[in-house]
Amino acid sequence: MNIILLGPPGAGKGTQANRLVEERGMVQLSTGDMLRAAVKAGTPVGLKAKAIMESGGLVSDAVVSELIGDKLDSLPSGAGAIFDGYPRTAAQAESLDTILTERGRQLDHVIELVVDEDALVDRIEGRFTCAKCGEGYHDRYKQPKVAGVCDVCGAVEFKRRPDDNAETVRTRLAEYRAKTAPILPIYETRGLVSRVDGMADIGEVSAAIEAILDRG
Ligand code: AP5
């Protein structure tokens, strides 16, 4: 099964993708994670992407589509793919069709996480992760049980994304409205779109997604 998790920054795409990886053994293909890894490694792609990501703009369609194609090629043929943060433009949606067809795959579901914009800014500004294992936390909603110590791995170092500030979040939301939301009708005409209330509790959102996937 191949699915797209679509939604604005902070909608919970990464959170839900992680749960599907654990529950269903699917593979998460997050272009944001791939680009952050490239920035960290100082690759040519990373060097170009760094400033664009920090400003909240979108990296070039060709670059992200190549990352996705390469990642899909590294997966076992039967592994289900969760596209998280891709496609983000009409050109990327078109590329994804080609990428999937060339690999004998088809798109089964596009799940839109619908979230209130005020909540998004709040979620993103408060977000931080363990620097060692990547476990996610939030200033208000999910603090480590022991202050300053990761619940999962015991590390004491945490980090925040450089693009998780109020100004950049506004640009990211504007990019979503202008370039990403307009691709939904492409998938609607194919009957692939299901909407999930992303304002619900994380567990309830997961249950709603599971119910959609259980339909086949
Ligand atoms: P990317 O990494 O994809 O970021 P994003 O789309 O802005 O999404 P986020 O990771 O911020 O949010 P999310 O929806 O995954 O939410 P999360 O689960 O973390 O992209 C970053 C940048 O890379 C882009 O701006 C662009 O520059 C570039 N890029 C990436 N892909 C690209 C592409 N295809 N084309 C071009 N450029 C690209 O949740 C957020 C917070 O909310 C967490 O704290 C979480 O715990 C909390 N939370 C989640 N669900 C709930 C809930 N139901 N209730 C309460 N809290 C919740």
Side-chain angles (χ1 to χ4, degrees):
M1 184 172 276
N2 301 289
I3 68 165
I4 295 173
L5 290 181
L6 199 79
K13 304 182 294 294
T15 303
Q16 295 303 328
N18 283 332
R19 289 172 79 108
L20 289 172
V21 169
E22 280 169 23
E23 302 292 323
R24 297 205 170 223
M26 297 176 79
V27 180
Q28 176 187 14
L29 287 82
S30 158
T31 40
D33 286 349
M34 292 176 205
L35 290 167
R36 278 184 288 279
V39 169
K40 195 172 173 198
T43 65
V45 164
L47 291 174
K48 272 194 210 154
K50 186 171 186 289
I52 299 170
M53 293 172 77
E54 285 177 3
S55 72
L58 293 184
V59 175
S60 97
D61 292 330
V63 165
V64 290
S65 293
E66 194 176 336
L67 288 174
I68 286 285
D70 290 348
K71 179 73 184 182
L72 264 186
D73 287 338
S74 73
L75 303 189
S77 58
I82 310 158
F83 297 99
D84 163 9
Y86 179 92
R88 257 177 155 96
T89 64
Q92 291 179 26
E94 207 174 300
S95 295
L96 180 60
D97 283 342
T98 308
I99 287 167
L100 289 173
T101 306
E102 284 174 355
R103 288 155 182 84
R105 288 175 179 262
Q106 65 166 36
L107 195 56
D108 299 290
H109 293 282
V110 176
I111 299 174
E112 183 192 8
L113 297 175
V114 182
V115 186
D116 182 82
E117 273 206 11
D118 293 336
L120 297 177
V121 177
D122 182 52
R123 281 184 189 182
I124 290 175
E125 282 191 306
R127 171 170 63 178
F128 62 101
T129 54
C130 170
K132 191 173 171 205
C133 72
E135 179 69 5
Y137 295 95
H138 194 279
D139 289 329
R140 272 184 298 283
Y141 311 125
K142 191 189 164 197
Q143 283 279 356
K145 292 189 183 90
V146 176
V149 182
C150 176
D151 297 343
V152 175
C153 73
V156 293
E157 225 182 292
F158 296 86
K159 60 180 182 180
R160 289 177 192 265
R161 276 172 41 179
D163 57 344
D164 279 356
N165 58 73
E167 194 190 335
T168 308
V169 170
R170 272 192 285 277
T171 308
R172 286 160 62 194
L173 283 170
E175 289 283 67
Y176 180 82
R177 280 192 297 266
K179 296 173 185 165
T180 309
I183 68 178
L184 269 162
I186 299 172
Y187 295 118
E188 266 163 346
T189 55
R190 295 192 217 165
L192 290 174
V193 178
S194 300
R195 290 196 166 77
V196 168
D197 175 13
M199 294 299 291
D201 177 81
I202 290 175
E204 288 172 38
V205 178
S206 297
I209 293 174
E210 293 282 354
I212 292 163
L213 301 192
D214 284 343
R215 294 202 308 253

